[in-house]
Amino acid sequence: MKNKTDVIVVGGGPAGISAAITIARAGKKVVLIERGSFSGSKNVFGGAIYVQPTKEIFPNFEESAPLERKTVSHKYIMCTETESISANYVARNEETVSYSVIRAKFDRWMAQEAQKEGVVLVTETLVKDVIVKENKIVGVRTELEEYFSDIVILADGVNSLLAKQVGLRKEIKSKDVALGVKEVIKLSKEKIEERFNLNDGEGAIYEIFGGSMLGMLGLGYVYTNKETVSIGLGISLDELAKRKLKPYEMLDEIKSHPSIKPFLKDGELVEYSAHLIPEGGYKKMPKLYAHGVLVVGDSAMLVNNLHWEGTNLAMISGKLAGETAVIAIKKGDFSANTLSLYQKKLENSFILKDLKSYKNLMDIVHSRAESYLGYYPHKITEFFKMFTAVDSIPKRQKYHGFIKSIFTDRSISELFKDAWGFVKMIVGVLR
Amino acid sequence: MPENEKNTEKKIQSNIDDKLFKVKYVPDDEPHLKPDESKCLICDSKVCTYICPAHVYEWDEENKKLIIGYENCMECGACRIACEHKCIDWNYPKGTKGVTFKQG
C-alpha cells in the first residue's frame, strides 16, 4: 500500500520527536509530520529543559545540543504594584538540573537527531484530518495526501484539533488554559552576567508573582540565555477575558515594574511570541488512547503548572507512547486494549503521579486567586514596610496593629477559606 | 477596588505593532480564521479584540464589521476558546504559511 508506515506522529515538538525516535530506535518505521518549516518554528516556551528527562531521550545531548545557560540561580519574586520581595536559591558546583534553550534551535536539533536515527521527517505539512475506518484510526489526511499507518500518535499541541476530531477531547474551556506572551530581548553577555549575578555559562530563572497580575492566576518569568533574556508571563485565559485585559499590556507592565525594569535596561526586542499553556491538570486530561491512536504531550494536557514542567512530560510521555506502539506492532494488535498500556505506563511514572498530586491545585488557586495572589502579597509587603519603617512609633504598637489588621481587613470566613484552601492543597499533594 | 477602575488606572499603552514587526510571517491569500459575522453583531464583549496577543481582531463600529488581521496571527488558539459565542471557525494556516518563530 502506498504511503503506509508503521506509525505516524503528528507534531514535531518535544513529545512527537521523542515518540518518533523511540519507535525508530526499535527498528520500526515512523513518519513525523510537522506543520512548521522546521521543528520549533511554531513552538513557544519560557524556558528551560531538564537534564535528567532529556538524557532519557538524548543521552549525550549536553555534548552537541544547542544549549544556552546552565541554571544555577532560581529567584522567586513577589511584586505588588511598586514593591517586591524575593527569595533566591543559588547552587553552584552541583549537578546541572536544567539549561535554558531557544526552541527554534533546540527542537530543530532534536528533529535532526531523530532523522539520523531513521525517523522520516515531513515539514511544512498540516494534517487536517485523522482517517477512521470501522472505528479504528488508520491514518491521516494532509492538504495534499493521505498517509496510512497502524498507529497514529497525536502530538499536535495544546489545541489538538485532531484529538477533538476523534472524540478523545472536548473543546477547551478558558479556565483550563493560560495565555502566554513572551519577549526575547537582546542584552550583552556581560550585562546579563552582571545584572543576574552569573559567571560565564551560568543562568538564572526568575519566577514572578503579582505585579500586573495581582489577584489573578498568572505567573511571570525571566530566563537568561547566552546573549538574550526571555521574559514572559502566562495568565489564565478566563481571567484575561473576564477582566478585559490585553496580554501584551500585562507584559509591558511587568517589564516596567521598578524591580524588573533594571534587568532589561538598554535591551532590544528580538522577538515577540505567544502560545497557550495547558492548565487544567489531571481532571482535564483527555482520553489518552483509542483504537489505533495515542495522545502525548500538550495534546494530552500533560503540564505541571506549579513546577513549570511541560517539556519533560512531553518527552517522557512521547517515549512511553513510542514504547507502547512498538509493543503493539510486535503483537500485531492496535486495539484500545493493547494501547491502554500507555496509560498504565504513565500512571506508573512521575507524570500521572505528579499530575494527581496537584490535581486540585489549579481549582483551589483559581478560586482563591484574589487572596493568595492579591491580598497576601500586599500583606507581606505591608509587614516588611512596617518592619523597616523608622518613624518613632513604638514597635509593639505597630505589631499589634498589624496582627489586628489581619482579622479586620477581611471577614473571618475569608480567612478561614484561605486556610482551608491551603490545607487542602498540602493534603492533596502529600496524601 | 472595582475592576473597571483598576483598568483605567493602568498607564501602560503598549505598541503592539512594534512587537509584531519583529515576527516572521508568510501570509496566505485567504484568512484561516473565520468568525461567524452574524454572531459578532450581537456580541457584547468582543473578547477577541482584546484577548488576542497579536491584535488580529478589531471591531469597526462604523461599518459594524470585524476586521481580521490574520497576517499577524500567532496560531495560539486563544480567540477560539475565549469567544463568547464560540463562533470562530479556527484552523491552522496551510503548510508553509503563517508564523515562524526564530526564537520561540
Side-chain angles (χ1 to χ4, degrees):
Chain A
M1 184 203 250
K2 183 176 165 264
N3 279 358
K4 168 79 170 51
T5 188
D6 291 332
V7 184
I8 292 170
V9 180
V10 182
I17 293 170
S18 301
I21 206 174
T22 302
I23 294 164
R25 282 172 179 158
K28 302 302 171 196
K29 292 183 294 178
V30 55
V31 173
L32 177 59
I33 307 181
E34 163 60 36
R35 64 188 180 92
S37 352
F38 54 86
S39 276
S41 60
K42 293 193 188 265
N43 270 343
V44 184
F45 87 156
I49 50 123
Y50 303 100
V51 172
Q52 188 267 343
T54 306
K55 272 195 174 145
E56 271 197 53
I57 316 290
F58 301 103
N60 304 313
F61 83 94
E62 282 170 298
E63 291 161 28
S64 54
L67 306 170
E68 299 294 310
R69 289 177 179 273
K70 73 169 192 246
T71 313
V72 303
S73 163
H74 287 266
K75 201 176 206 179
Y76 304 91
I77 310 175
M78 190 167 63
C79 294
T80 59
E81 290 82 352
T82 52
E83 305 145 289
S84 69
I85 296 179
S86 53
N88 192 195
Y89 168 60
V90 184
R92 295 192 157 90
N93 306 322
E94 304 274 329
E95 233 175 271
T96 309
V97 172
S98 64
Y99 288 93
S100 55
V101 299
I102 303 290
R103 292 297 290 275
K105 296 185 197 161
F106 189 76
D107 287 21
R108 197 171 198 172
W109 174 85
M110 285 199 289
Q112 281 163 356
E113 292 297 297
Q115 283 179 292
K116 285 182 196 164
E117 304 225 31
V119 171
V120 173
L121 176 64
V122 176
T123 54
E124 296 191 319
T125 301
L126 176 65
V127 170
K128 302 219 71 149
D129 302 295
V130 173
I131 303 171
V132 183
K133 277 204 171 83
E134 287 161 16
N135 208 33
K136 182 186 174 292
I137 278 98
V138 296
V140 300
R141 187 176 299 119
T142 69
E143 298 150 296
L144 301 171
E145 297 197 68
E146 291 184 344
Y147 292 86
F148 298 93
S149 62
D150 296 322
I151 297 174
V152 171
I153 296 181
L154 297 177
D156 53 332
V158 56
N159 287 297
S160 195
L161 301 178
L162 298 175
K164 199 168 77 174
Q165 199 188 86
V166 295
L168 295 171
R169 249 173 74 147
K170 297 207 184 78
E171 180 54 279
I172 305 169
K173 294 209 165 63
S174 306
K175 73 176 190 42
D176 296 327
V177 280
L179 175 54
V181 288
K182 170 184 173 178
E183 290 183 15
V184 176
I185 295 178
K186 183 156 178 55
L187 282 170
S188 72
K189 174 180 177 303
E190 292 72 31
K191 283 206 176 93
I192 293 174
E193 286 164 11
E194 192 189 295
R195 292 177 190 175
F196 291 86
N197 257 325
L198 303 166
N199 299 316
D200 181 36
E202 291 177 345
I205 300 177
Y206 283 16
E207 201 171 312
I208 306 165
F209 307 82
S212 57
M213 302 172 287
L214 277 166
M216 287 181 241
L217 186 46
L219 271 182
Y221 59 78
V222 181
Y223 288 84
T224 53
N225 307 308
K226 285 189 176 138
E227 296 192 314
T228 56
V229 295
S230 301
I231 179 164
L233 47 74
I235 299 175
S236 205
L237 193 63
D238 65 331
E239 294 268 22
L240 287 170
K242 179 175 80 179
R243 295 166 192 249
K244 294 183 159 30
L245 296 171
K246 296 185 178 158
Y248 42 88
E249 283 181 358
M250 304 296 285
L251 180 56
D252 278 344
E253 210 181 302
I254 280 277
K255 282 167 64 193
S256 55
H257 188 283
S259 299
I260 306 292
K261 196 169 174 188
F263 289 99
L264 308 172
K265 186 161 176 279
D266 301 327
E268 189 195 306
L269 178 66
V270 173
E271 186 176 82
Y272 167 71
S273 55
H275 208 63
L276 290 181
I277 306 161
E279 220 181 50
Y282 188 77
K283 292 180 185 170
K284 294 302 162 89
M285 263 169 43
K287 270 184 64 60
L288 299 169
Y289 62 91
H291 294 306
V293 68
L294 294 166
V295 187
V296 298
D298 276 11
S299 317
M301 302 287 267
L302 296 176
V303 169
N304 182 335
N305 301 89
L306 177 65
H307 291 273
W308 295 6
E309 289 179 29
T311 31
N312 54 327
L313 277 76
M315 287 186 202
I316 303 300
S317 66
K319 179 178 176 216
L320 297 177
E323 288 171 358
T324 305
V326 169
I327 290 172
I329 294 168
K330 288 184 176 155
K331 273 171 92 171
D333 176 355
F334 315 105
S335 64
N337 196 34
T338 299
L339 295 180
S340 69
L341 174 63
Y342 168 58
Q343 176 132 5
K344 291 196 190 72
K345 282 177 180 270
L346 281 178
E347 277 167 7
N348 288 333
S349 76
F350 74 95
I351 295 175
L352 286 189
K353 287 183 180 170
D354 281 351
L355 253 54
K356 273 188 195 157
S357 294
Y358 291 119
K359 75 178 188 306
N360 292 320
L361 180 78
M362 296 315 272
D363 278 343
I364 295 172
V365 182
H366 238 110
S367 65
R368 306 302 307 158
E370 279 282 5
S371 90
Y372 291 165
L373 297 164
Y375 174 70
Y376 284 104
H378 278 119
K379 211 63 197 161
I380 294 170
T381 49
E382 193 187 303
F383 172 81
F384 281 98
K385 187 171 178 178
M386 170 197 72
F387 194 77
T388 57
V390 181
D391 51 14
S392 306
I393 299 174
K395 305 295 178 194
R396 190 182 291 177
Q397 184 180 325
K398 290 206 265 201
Y399 293 143
H400 283 181
F402 181 79
I403 292 170
K404 184 169 169 216
S405 72
I406 294 174
F407 293 95
T408 55
D409 282 347
R410 304 175 310 150
S411 70
I412 297 292
S413 71
E414 284 296 300
L415 261 184
F416 180 75
K417 282 181 198 164
D418 288 343
W420 185 234
F422 186 69
V423 167
K424 272 204 300 196
M425 274 197 293
I426 301 291
V427 169
V429 174
L430 297 178
R431 209 159 51 127
Chain B
M1 191 189 290
E3 271 152 27
N4 291 335
E5 274 185 40
K6 209 191 238 172
N7 286 337
T8 52
E9 259 193 41
K10 267 205 300 86
K11 298 163 218 108
I12 302 296
Q13 287 298 314
S14 302
N15 193 330
I16 184 62
D17 295 320
D18 282 349
K19 294 186 207 282
L20 294 172
F21 183 69
K22 294 279 180 173
V23 191
K24 179 174 173 188
Y25 294 104
V26 178
D28 200 349
D29 308 318
E30 42 157 29
H32 58 279
L33 307 163
K34 296 169 200 148
D36 177 350
E37 308 233 8
S38 65
K39 300 263 169 37
C40 299
L41 287 167
I42 58 166
C43 177
D44 284 323
S45 61
K46 306 277 194 292
V47 186
C48 58
T49 58
Y50 51 85
I51 212 149
C52 172
H55 196 49
V56 162
Y57 300 99
E58 238 180 278
W59 179 249
D60 180 352
E61 183 58 39
E62 215 184 295
N63 298 311
K64 299 272 188 255
K65 249 181 100 56
L66 194 62
I67 306 172
I68 305 167
Y70 68 91
E71 314 83 16
N72 289 335
C73 174
M74 295 192 167
E75 303 160 31
C76 71
C79 59
R80 183 189 82 250
I81 298 167
C83 170
E84 193 187 302
H85 298 274
K86 301 277 179 280
C87 73
I88 303 182
D89 177 11
W90 191 95
N91 296 288
Y92 286 116
K94 296 193 197 96
T96 72
K97 305 291 183 199
V99 74
T100 289
F101 293 124
K102 295 194 197 161
Q103 304 286 323

